[in-house]
Amino acid sequence: MVPTEPDDVVAFGPFRLHGEHRRLFCGAEEVQLGGRAMEMLVTLARKKGELVYKEELYNAAWPGIFVHEANLKVTIASLRRALREYTPTEDYIRTFVGRGYRLTDQVITGEIPKIADLPVVANTRFPELATVIGRDAEIAELRARIAANRLTTIVGPGGIGKTTVAVATVQLLEDEEGDLITFIDFSRVAGEEFVIPSVAAALGISSGSQDRLDAISSILARRKTLLLLDTCEHVLNAVAHLCDVILVNTSDVRIVATSRQALRAKREEVFWLAPLEVPPPDHIYTPEQVLRYSAPQLLVERASEKGKYNMEDGDASAVAKICRLLDGSPLAIELISSRLGSRSAADVLKELDDRFATLVGPDQEGPLRQQTLLATMQWSYALLTKSEASVLRATSIFMGTFDMDEVVSIVVHSGLDPTVVFDAIAGLRAKSMLSVEQMSGGMRYRLLDSTRAFAGNLLEAAGELTAVSRAHARLVLDIFARANADQARLSTRQWHIAYASRADDLRRAIGWALFLRADPLLGMQLVASGLPLWHELSLSEEARRNCEQALAEFDRLGCDDRALKLKLLVGLAAVSSYISADAEKAIETFETAIQLSRKIRDTYAECQALGALARYRLLPGNQTEVRKILKELKRVATRSNNRSAQWEHEILLTELEIIHCQYPPAIARMERLSREVRGFSDGTASRFDLDPKIRSETTLGALQWLGSVRPGTGLNTVKICAQEALEAHHGWTLVSCYTHGALFILSECQEWTLAIHYAERLKDTIYRNGMPTWIPVANCYAEALYVLSGARLDPDGPMSAFDELRTGLRQLGRHAYYALLIRALYAIGHMNEAVRILDYLFDIGPQRSMVPELLRLRAVKERSVGRDEEAEVTLRQSLQAAEENGAWAWRIRGATDLAALLRDQTRIDAARSVLEPVYGQFMDGFDTPDLQKARNLLTELQNFGRIWSS
C-alpha cells in the first residue's frame, strides 16, 4: 500500500513516521528507536495495513547476513516497547505466527485495563543488543525453565553472555506472551544495602518511602510481571532475601537473575550458561568447518562488522585456536575481534599467546575463565593509545549514556584537544570498549558494565577520580541549568525524555560534592538546579533530604549567596506543603522563604512560597490566616504578571469556598479558570507543581456533582480528569486528583470497577513517590470499594482503614473518607462498627460540607432499630443543612430517604411533596444511582396515589 501522506510520511495512531529521514514522532515529540527497530518500522510502514513477511524484515535489518529468528522477535519486542511508552494500552503491530507482522491503525480498544495488565513502570530500558549469535539452544531451554519456575538464575563466569541471553529471552517472552518486563541493573550497586533502593527506583518508588520492600511487594502483588535482576554476584544475600519476600507476597511475578554464583534463594532454579562452542584441538580446519561452531561465528561476524573481515582458508585454524584460547568467552571474543581488521589471524594468535603467558600464570587467583577475561581486558587496555586509555578511564564516571561533548568536558584535566578526544572515542568504539546507541539528536555512548568496573578501578588507581568527579559534577550542573531553561520550551514528555535519564548522574554528583563534602558549594548548586527533576519525578522525600542537607551546609559554611539559599528554601517549601508531618517546622520554612524572597525582590519565589503556605493552611486542621495569605498571593502574582501563580490563587480560593460550602461562586470560578487554562500551551504553567488543567477541572467536576443540578456533567468531567491524571505521569498531580475529587465522585456514583482501578493506581503512586502519609487515604478507598463492590464481606478492612485515618495526620482527615467507610459497613450489615465511626465524627465535630450526609447516615441507623420518629427528625435536619449548604447531591439523597420513610408510613402526599420539588430541579445525570433511585421512588409514589384515589 502506498502511503497517502506527503513527503513519505506514514501515520498510525498518534504517530508520524518520516521514512526518508528515519524519524518517528508522537505529536511534536520524537520517539527514540534503535537502528534495527527503525529499519523494521520503515519496512512495515511502506506496506501499512498489509502483511510483511519475515524475510523482508531480515533484509531490512540485517542485509546480507543470516540471523536466527530470535533476533527478529527481540527487535520487534523492542519496537513495541518503545511505542507503548506513548500508548501503553494499544498495540499497532500485529503478529502473524510463522509468517510476519503488520502495521495497522485498527487498534482494538477493550474495557478498562486491569491493574495486572498495566506496566509496572513505563520506561524500563534494556541494554541494546547486538545480533545474538550461537545461543539459540540456550534461549529455547531458558524459556522453558522460566515458564516452569518463578525464580530462575542464569549462572556463569564473567563475560560469558548472561545478560545477552537473559535480555534476548525475556524480550521474546514479552513479544509472544505479553509479559511485562522490568530490567534492574545491579552492576552499579556498591553494596547489599542498596539492592532494595535500586529495585524501588526501577519500579519508580521514591527513595524516601519508609518501607520500600513493602512498597515493592504491594506494587507487584496485583500484576503479572517478570523482573530481570542483572549482575547479582556481589549482592547475593540481599537479592536472595528480596526474591524470597517477593515470591511469598505475590502470585503472578516471575524473576530471572544473572549472577556468577547461585543466589541460594528458596524456589531457585539454576541455569548454568556454558561458553560458546569452540572447535576441538588437533585438527586442520576449513572456513566452512570452523564456522559450524558458535565461538568462531561470533568472532568472524564481529570482525566483519568492524573491519570488513573475510576469513580465508589459511585463517581457519588460527581462528579456531583464538577461540579456544579465549575459552569461548563472548566478551573476550568481542574485544579481540577488532584486531582482525588490521592483521592476520595468525598474528593475532601470536600476540595473544605471548600476552597470556605473562598475564595468566600459575600464581593467578580465581577461576581460569575469569583470569582469561581479566587478561583479555588488560591486554585490550594495553593496546590502547594514551589518549584512548585516558578517555576510557574518565568515561567510567558516567552512570548512563553520554555524548561526545560530554566526554570532552570531563577530560579537561588531561589537557587533550577535542579532536584527539573524538579520535579516542572512535578508537574505543572500534575496539569494542564502548557501545553506541542511536538516539534522536545523535549518537550516545555507554560503557559495558564489566568495562565500566574495570575502567573505574583504573581511574582511582591513576589518582584521577577527584578531578574527573569535579568535572562531572560541573557538567551535570550545566545540564540542569539547561533543563531549567527548557521548562517553558519543551512539553512535559519531551522534557522528561531529555532529562529524567540524568537522575543517576545527578545523584552521583550530589553525593560526591555535597554528602562527601568534596565541594559543598557546588553540591548546593546541584541540589538547587536539580529541584525541577525531583518535582517532575514527584520524588518528594529525595528533594526534601537534599534541600535540608544543602541548607545545613549553607549555614555551616556561612555562605552569603541569598539567591541560592532562597532556591533551596522554596524547594523545601514545595515538598513540605504535601508531605510534612511537622506543621511548626513546615510553616517556619514557608515564612522564611517568603521573607527572604521579599528581601531580594524575587517575586517568582515569593509566589511559590506563598502558594505553598496557603496550600498547607488549607489542609484540614490547619486552616488559619488563609484569606490573608491568598490576598497577598494575588497581589504579588498580579503585580509580577505570574500567570501560574494567578491560577494557583484561583484554585486555592476555590478550595476555601468549598470548605465554607460556597458552591455557586466556586463553580463559576472554576469554569472561568478551566476555559483560560485550556487556552494555553503545556509549557505556560509550571509542570513542577500540580498540573493546573487537571487540578482545576477535577475540582470543577466534583463541585458540579455535589453543588449543582448537573451531576452527570460532573461525573463525566471527573472521569476524563482521572484518565488524564494517569497519562500525565506526574505523581503529585495524580494523588491530588484522586484524593480530592475523582475517587470521591466515582465512589458516590457507584462506578466500582473504575474506582477500584484508580484506587490501586493511587496506592502505587503514593508508594513510588515517597508519600507514606497518604497511604491511609488510599487504604480507605481501596477497603471501602472492595466491600461496596461485593469483593469482600468482612468489616476488618474498613475498620483497619478507619484506625489508620484516625491516627494519621489531621491534615488528611477529610470526613468524606469516613463517610465512605460507614456506607461500606452498612452494606454488609455491620451497623455497630459503622456507628462507632459516625459517633467519632460527631464527637470531634463534623466538617460542615459533610454534615448533611452524616446526618442521613445516622438516620439509616435509627431506622434499622425501629426508631422512625427520630430518623424523620434527623432526615429533616439533613435536608435543611443540605439546602443551607447548597449541596444538591446530599439534598436528593436526604429527600429520597425521607420520602421512603414517609411512604412506609403511607404518608404518600407528604412523601411526594418532599421529593418531587428537589428531583424536578435537576438538569442531567438521570442515569446516576441517586437520581435513578429517586425516580423509581417517585414512580412508586405516583402508582400508590392512583391506587389510593381509586
Side-chain angles (χ1 to χ4, degrees):
M1 182 180 294
V2 178
T4 57
E5 294 83 352
D7 300 324
D8 194 29
V9 176
V10 179
F12 59 100
F15 299 101
R16 298 293 181 273
L17 173 66
H18 297 250
E20 181 180 354
H21 300 290
R22 300 302 195 262
R23 301 182 74 182
L24 177 66
F25 293 88
C26 182
E29 301 169 32
E30 187 161 3
V31 181
Q32 300 177 9
L33 294 179
R36 290 194 177 99
M38 175 60 76
E39 292 305 320
M40 286 194 182
L41 181 59
V42 169
T43 304
L44 290 167
R46 286 174 180 153
K47 291 187 173 182
K48 178 185 164 188
E50 299 179 11
L51 172 63
V52 179
Y53 290 96
K54 292 186 292 184
E55 290 72 17
E56 297 177 70
L57 296 170
Y58 285 131
N59 290 334
W62 296 277
I65 301 174
F66 172 78
V67 297
H68 191 270
E69 184 178 3
N71 289 282
L72 174 62
K73 292 182 176 180
V74 166
T75 306
I76 288 289
S78 174
L79 175 57
R80 280 187 167 132
R81 175 175 280 264
L83 298 179
R84 283 174 181 159
E85 287 189 15
Y86 295 82
T87 54
T89 60
E90 299 172 353
D91 189 359
Y92 296 97
I93 300 175
R94 301 298 174 83
T95 302
F96 292 80
V97 178
R99 300 170 67 194
Y101 300 87
R102 183 182 71 187
L103 182 69
T104 178
D105 273 326
Q106 298 174 356
V107 176
I108 299 174
T109 55
E111 299 295 325
I112 301 160
K114 298 177 182 177
I115 197 75
D117 297 330
L118 292 165
V120 174
V121 65
N123 297 346
T124 302
R125 288 185 64 89
F126 290 112
E128 195 167 313
L129 298 182
T131 306
V132 181
I133 295 173
R135 291 301 195 186
D136 301 342
E138 288 88 345
I139 289 172
E141 184 181 350
L142 183 58
R143 288 171 64 184
R145 297 277 192 97
I146 294 172
N149 300 280
R150 294 189 62 200
L151 172 59
T152 306
T153 305
I154 306 170
V155 178
I160 206 70
K162 299 183 292 294
T163 300
T164 295
V165 171
V167 169
T169 304
V170 300
Q171 288 205 81
L172 283 177
L173 292 171
E174 185 175 47
D175 179 56
E176 296 172 3
E177 300 180 20
D179 276 22
L180 303 169
I181 314 296
T182 299
F183 176 79
I184 304 167
D185 181 7
F186 287 136
S187 66
R188 303 168 196 169
V189 170
E192 296 201 329
E193 67 272 24
F194 299 112
V195 165
I196 289 174
S198 296
V199 176
L203 297 177
I205 299 168
S206 166
S207 60
S209 295
Q210 292 178 349
D211 189 343
R212 279 173 286 197
L213 188 53
D214 182 52
I216 290 166
S217 297
S218 175
I219 285 175
L220 294 176
R222 297 184 299 280
R223 289 174 170 82
K224 178 185 177 184
T225 192
L226 192 153
L227 298 180
L228 175 49
L229 310 179
D230 193 40
T231 315
C232 302
E233 56 269 2
H234 58 304
V235 286
L236 288 174
N237 292 332
V239 173
H241 175 65
L242 170 77
C243 292
D244 289 340
V245 171
I246 289 175
L247 295 181
V248 165
N249 290 290
T250 66
S251 58
D252 286 325
V253 175
R254 289 182 287 175
I255 303 172
V256 177
T258 72
S259 175
R260 297 183 186 182
Q261 302 175 52
L263 301 179
R264 301 188 183 279
K266 299 173 184 175
R267 311 187 200 184
E268 179 184 24
E269 172 75 10
V270 176
F271 179 85
W272 295 94
L273 186 62
L276 295 174
E277 293 179 326
V278 299
D282 303 325
H283 286 275
I284 302 299
Y285 290 96
T286 66
E288 293 76 14
Q289 290 171 330
V290 84
L291 288 177
R292 293 173 187 167
Y293 299 90
S294 54
Q297 287 174 17
L298 178 62
L299 178 58
V300 172
E301 176 63 30
R302 294 295 185 258
S304 64
E305 288 175 357
K306 295 168 186 172
K308 308 301 180 186
Y309 171 74
N310 289 309
M311 184 167 53
E312 304 292 341
D313 289 343
D315 288 346
S317 293
V319 166
K321 290 181 181 178
I322 289 171
C323 292
R324 285 198 301 273
L325 188 59
L326 298 178
D327 293 314
S329 167
L331 179 54
I333 289 171
E334 293 268 1
L335 292 170
I336 296 300
S337 61
S338 62
R339 302 292 289 171
L340 287 176
S342 58
R343 52 196 19 86
S344 70
D347 290 339
V348 173
L349 176 60
K350 186 176 186 307
E351 291 176 359
L352 275 175
D353 269 328
D354 293 343
R355 188 68 175 177
F356 274 36
T358 302
L359 293 175
V360 183
D363 297 331
Q364 291 291 319
E365 296 182 358
L368 178 60
R369 286 200 173 94
Q370 292 184 20
Q371 296 176 36
T372 299
L373 178 61
L374 177 60
T376 304
M377 296 187 76
Q378 290 173 335
W379 178 73
S380 299
Y381 180 75
L383 294 174
L384 299 179
T385 66
K386 184 177 179 181
S387 59
E388 288 171 347
S390 179
V391 169
L392 179 67
R393 294 193 301 270
T395 53
S396 67
I397 200 72
F398 289 111
M399 301 299 290
T401 63
F402 48 88
D403 63 22
M404 192 73 75
D405 291 339
E406 291 165 359
V407 177
V408 171
S409 70
I410 64 156
V411 295
V412 291
H413 67 285
S414 64
L416 294 178
D417 185 88
T419 57
V420 175
V421 177
F422 296 159
D423 291 340
I425 288 290
L428 290 170
R429 182 184 173 190
K431 295 169 184 175
S432 300
M433 304 296 278
L434 283 179
S435 64
V436 62
E437 296 184 6
Q438 187 70 40
M439 296 184 176
S440 56
M443 289 189 297
R444 295 188 65 80
Y445 304 91
R446 66 179 176 89
L447 291 179
L448 298 174
D449 297 331
S450 299
T451 312
R452 180 188 294 109
F454 176 74
N457 290 334
L458 293 173
L459 180 70
E460 189 168 4
E464 299 168 330
L465 180 59
T466 298
V468 173
S469 295
R470 177 169 285 106
H472 173 258
R474 293 193 180 281
L475 168 65
V476 172
L477 183 62
D478 290 342
I479 288 170
F480 281 95
R482 185 167 68 248
N484 295 343
D486 282 343
Q487 289 177 23
R489 184 179 67 84
L490 299 178
S491 70
T492 303
R493 184 181 287 275
Q494 286 175 313
W495 197 95
H496 189 96
I497 289 172
Y499 297 107
S501 61
R502 306 285 192 165
D504 284 336
D505 278 307
L506 177 60
R507 290 186 179 107
R508 179 167 191 161
I510 290 174
W512 175 82
L514 182 66
F515 287 90
L516 294 180
R517 292 182 174 174
D519 191 337
L521 179 59
L522 179 57
M524 288 182 272
Q525 293 168 337
L526 282 163
V527 170
S529 67
L531 281 169
L533 180 66
W534 305 140
H535 284 267
E536 172 68 10
L537 300 179
S538 298
L539 296 177
S540 311
E541 280 294 336
E542 189 158 5
R544 179 197 59 76
R545 185 178 63 252
N546 286 339
C547 286
E548 288 183 346
Q549 180 69 22
L551 286 166
E553 284 297 298
F554 192 99
D555 292 339
R556 184 181 71 84
L557 297 175
C559 293
D560 58 2
D561 186 341
R562 295 190 298 177
L564 175 59
K565 183 174 184 179
L566 180 58
K567 288 180 181 178
L568 298 172
L569 281 168
V570 169
L572 182 58
V575 297
S576 297
S577 65
Y578 298 109
I579 65 171
S580 178
D582 187 337
E584 184 176 342
K585 182 178 178 181
I587 291 170
E588 180 184 356
T589 299
F590 303 142
E591 292 178 344
T592 303
I594 293 168
Q595 293 167 7
L596 183 56
S597 64
R598 288 172 176 168
K599 286 180 181 177
I600 64 177
R601 299 183 179 180
D602 186 335
T603 56
Y604 181 79
E606 185 179 359
C607 286
Q608 286 184 300
L610 285 166
L613 177 57
R615 282 194 301 272
Y616 199 76
R617 286 293 194 191
L618 277 167
L619 293 171
N622 200 26
Q623 297 157 359
T624 58
E625 300 183 340
V626 177
R627 290 193 184 277
K628 178 182 176 181
I629 300 165
L630 288 176
K631 183 177 179 181
E632 191 62 17
L633 173 60
K634 182 177 182 179
R635 181 187 67 81
V636 179
T638 302
R639 188 184 67 197
S640 60
N641 196 29
N642 186 331
R643 192 176 302 277
S644 297
Q646 291 173 34
W647 292 348
E648 178 77 1
H649 168 266
E650 292 298 287
I651 293 172
L652 294 176
L653 184 57
T654 299
E655 290 186 14
L656 183 61
E657 290 171 338
I658 292 171
I659 290 170
H660 294 289
C661 301
Q662 297 168 344
Y663 299 132
I667 290 172
R669 186 184 307 281
M670 283 299 95
E671 287 176 338
R672 289 194 304 271
L673 181 59
S674 294
R675 286 193 298 270
E676 182 178 347
V677 171
R678 282 195 297 268
F680 286 85
S681 65
D682 177 68
T684 300
S686 171
R687 294 187 305 282
F688 306 114
D689 196 4
L690 304 180
D691 183 287
K693 176 181 179 296
I694 295 173
R695 190 177 176 199
S696 60
E697 294 190 0
T698 300
T699 303
L700 175 60
L703 281 165
Q704 289 168 332
W705 182 85
L706 177 61
S708 85
V709 292
R710 295 179 293 155
T713 300
L715 175 59
N716 290 334
T717 300
V718 162
K719 284 183 175 180
I720 293 169
C721 289
Q723 184 60 31
E724 288 179 344
L726 198 61
E727 294 170 355
H729 303 296
H730 187 248
W732 289 352
T733 293
L734 186 144
V735 170
S736 174
C737 172
Y738 287 11
T739 59
H740 293 164
L743 284 174
F744 169 61
I745 303 304
L746 292 172
S747 302
E748 298 298 328
C749 294
Q750 300 179 23
E751 296 272 355
W752 307 132
T753 301
L754 193 59
I756 289 171
H757 169 67
Y758 288 136
E760 290 175 333
R761 297 311 301 269
L762 171 65
K763 184 178 287 189
D764 287 356
T765 302
I766 289 169
Y767 272 127
R768 285 178 173 162
N769 294 298
M771 303 176 183
T773 51
W774 287 92
I775 283 293
V777 177
N779 286 340
C780 165
Y781 275 115
E783 296 298 338
L785 289 166
Y786 292 149
V787 169
L788 288 165
S789 67
R792 296 180 187 170
L793 299 176
D794 65 83
D796 294 344
M799 291 308 297
S800 174
F802 163 60
D803 289 336
E804 288 181 15
L805 279 175
R806 182 170 52 86
T807 57
L809 291 183
R810 286 183 64 203
Q811 298 97 302
L812 306 182
R814 293 173 182 256
H815 289 185
Y817 306 148
Y818 295 97
L820 184 63
L821 293 172
I822 294 169
R823 288 169 51 211
L825 291 164
Y826 278 175
I828 54 176
H830 286 269
M831 307 295 284
N832 291 336
E833 290 89 342
V835 170
R836 176 185 161 196
I837 300 175
L838 197 58
D839 289 345
Y840 165 77
L841 294 178
F842 278 105
D843 286 345
I844 65 174
Q847 293 164 1
R848 177 178 172 182
S849 62
M850 289 303 298
V851 166
E853 176 66 352
L854 294 174
L855 286 169
R856 186 189 72 82
L857 291 170
R858 173 179 278 179
V860 171
K861 169 62 178 176
E862 291 167 344
R863 289 210 68 189
S864 73
V865 293
R867 302 205 305 263
D868 281 10
E869 290 185 4
E870 293 178 31
E872 181 178 347
V873 172
T874 303
L875 285 170
R876 291 190 183 279
Q877 291 173 343
S878 171
L879 266 175
Q880 181 179 352
E883 186 173 357
E884 291 173 353
N885 289 355
W888 284 95
W890 305 146
R891 284 185 71 181
I892 191 64
R893 282 193 188 173
T896 301
D897 281 12
L898 180 55
L901 184 152
L902 296 172
R903 175 206 57 193
D904 294 345
Q905 296 176 344
T906 66
R907 296 158 64 184
I908 306 303
D909 290 340
R912 289 178 61 180
S913 67
V914 166
L915 186 54
E916 279 182 342
V918 179
Y919 180 82
Q921 295 291 321
F922 283 87
M923 300 173 65
D924 69 20
F926 297 105
D927 57 347
T928 58
D930 289 330
L931 291 185
Q932 283 182 339
K933 183 177 180 181
R935 183 176 66 247
N936 292 339
L937 180 56
L938 281 173
T939 300
E940 184 181 343
L941 292 173
Q942 290 166 356
N943 292 336
F944 266 122
R946 284 194 291 270
I947 294 170
W948 196 266
S949 62
S950 64

